[in-house]
Amino acid sequence: MAVARAEGPQGAGGSRSAEGGGHAGTRTLPSGHRRGSRLTAFAFVAPLVCYLAAFYVYPLYRNLDLSLRDYTVRSFVAGDAPFTGWRNFQRVLDDPSFGPALRHTVVFTAVSLVFQYAAGLGLAVFFNRHFRLSAVLRALFLVPWLLPLIVSASTWSWMFNSESGVVDYALRLVGADPVGWLTSPDWALTSVIIANIWIGIPFNLVVLYSGLQNIPAELYEAAALDGAGAWQRFWHITFPLLRPVSAITLLLGLVYTLKVFDLIWIMTKGGPGDASTTLATWSYQLGFGTLLPKFGPGAAVGNILIVIALAFGLLYVRLQRRTEA
């Protein structure tokens, strides 16, 4: 009984202290502290919001406004262009150049993505063996990606030159006829595709190689013990586990390739004729390529490109959610 009486007050005190601690743990901050925390959070977010508004939201708004009005040079300066609605989009869709430009964009994008991904995946698997000089060779493969695009485009223009290019010179050495890579309507688009593939392979290599590093080596060891060959290990282990990384690689490559302009413009300017004209180069030609620029139709073509890229981005997000579910 004495022991019980001694423990009773201590237990009650312990309960009171626990209850007090519970109240202290749920005590809310004063309003002044909460206001200070919110201001601090806003201060950190404000630079990002200003950056997005200045370099993304406002340009998109101006491009949409250009596509919905009949802008001329005078009205562009004065800011009194009349509102025309969807007329600029209708003019673009009815233009005879729209079909070839869209077709060239699809071919340029699809072929570039397929070869960039295939070559990048092959090189990533090759370098994943970690042999001697692997790191040095990987660094050398990054050179096309690190060079300024104007340098790469100018180099390929010189290589494909019909008179002094090394490609036609090599063809002559083996007895083949030279090809007008940049001057022939049959080869101009192929030429810019080859250059774009060369530039995009390092990006695919880097991203896919990083994805391979996350695949456990135990899976390959278990498959080898079961008698699986190299191709079976690639097809049943490497390729399925790389699907999330492959999806983001292809999406980023798609968005980048859709808007490629400077490479094509430096090499062929969309020619000869419209043999290598894509939606990106056509948009520039409409807006800035003539003495009487067509700002509205040029902006409309740019908005079509934005919608296409946005559609593929939303498709990727939906597929990712379905995969995670």
Side-chain angles (χ1 to χ4, degrees):
M1 294 299 293
V3 174
R5 285 193 298 270
E7 291 180 351
Q10 184 178 2
S15 299
R16 285 192 296 270
S17 62
E19 291 176 2
H23 288 298
T26 59
R27 185 178 301 169
T28 58
L29 294 174
S31 59
H33 287 191
R34 285 181 294 174
R35 190 179 302 110
S37 300
R38 291 175 182 175
L39 291 177
T40 303
F42 288 145
F44 279 105
V45 174
L48 176 62
V49 173
C50 294
Y51 172 80
L52 293 176
F55 295 101
Y56 287 89
V57 177
Y58 180 72
L60 287 174
Y61 162 74
R62 286 294 298 155
N63 199 61
L64 181 61
D65 180 70
L66 282 171
S67 65
L68 298 178
R69 296 180 181 274
D70 185 17
Y71 272 100
T72 61
V73 176
R74 188 202 64 81
S75 61
F76 184 84
V77 176
D80 57 353
F83 182 80
T84 58
W86 302 103
R87 188 179 304 171
N88 288 322
F89 289 90
Q90 189 64 43
R91 290 172 59 186
V92 166
L93 296 177
D94 294 338
D95 196 300
S97 299
F98 177 76
L102 179 61
R103 184 172 62 254
H104 296 158
T105 302
V106 172
V107 173
F108 178 80
T109 303
V111 176
S112 296
L113 287 180
V114 169
F115 281 92
Q116 287 173 355
Y117 178 79
L121 180 58
L123 290 171
V125 173
F126 174 73
F127 286 119
N128 196 39
R129 300 177 182 179
H130 301 290
F131 54 90
R132 184 178 297 179
L133 298 180
S134 174
V136 176
L137 292 177
R138 284 204 316 270
L140 292 177
F141 269 100
L142 291 178
V143 171
W145 194 29
L146 299 176
L147 286 176
L149 197 54
I150 188 173
V151 175
S152 300
S154 300
T155 302
W156 279 100
S157 296
W158 170 74
M159 292 173 60
F160 282 137
N161 188 277
S162 302
E163 299 178 357
S164 59
V166 296
V167 178
D168 278 347
Y169 178 76
L171 292 177
R172 293 189 186 96
L173 289 180
V174 298
D177 295 330
V179 178
W181 296 96
L182 304 179
T183 58
S184 171
D186 298 328
W187 289 98
L189 184 61
T190 303
S191 302
V192 295
I193 289 176
I194 292 173
N196 191 62
I197 291 173
W198 180 79
I199 293 173
I201 287 176
F203 171 77
N204 288 260
L205 167 61
V206 170
V207 178
L208 295 174
Y209 179 81
S210 65
L212 288 176
Q213 303 304 301
N214 296 324
I215 299 178
E218 293 80 5
L219 296 177
Y220 294 104
E221 295 173 358
L225 292 176
D226 291 338
W231 174 251
Q232 291 175 319
R233 292 196 299 270
F234 170 80
W235 189 250
H236 295 288
I237 297 177
T238 303
F239 193 70
L241 294 180
L242 272 182
R243 284 178 183 172
V245 179
S246 299
I248 191 63
T249 303
L250 291 173
L251 175 64
L252 293 176
L254 172 69
V255 173
Y256 170 79
T257 309
L258 279 175
K259 65 182 183 63
V260 168
F261 161 76
D262 35 12
L263 176 70
I264 301 175
W265 191 256
I266 292 172
M267 293 183 64
T268 64
K269 289 186 171 58
D274 61 352
S276 59
T277 297
T278 61
L279 291 177
T281 58
W282 189 38
S283 175
Y284 179 84
Q285 289 173 344
L286 290 173
F288 305 99
T290 61
L291 295 177
L292 296 176
K294 302 176 181 178
F295 295 121
V301 176
N303 284 326
I304 292 175
L305 276 174
I306 293 174
V307 170
I308 294 174
L310 181 61
F312 279 101
L314 293 177
L315 177 63
Y316 167 77
V317 171
R318 183 173 182 179
L319 291 176
Q320 282 293 101
R321 290 179 177 177
R322 183 176 299 179
T323 302
E324 294 173 357

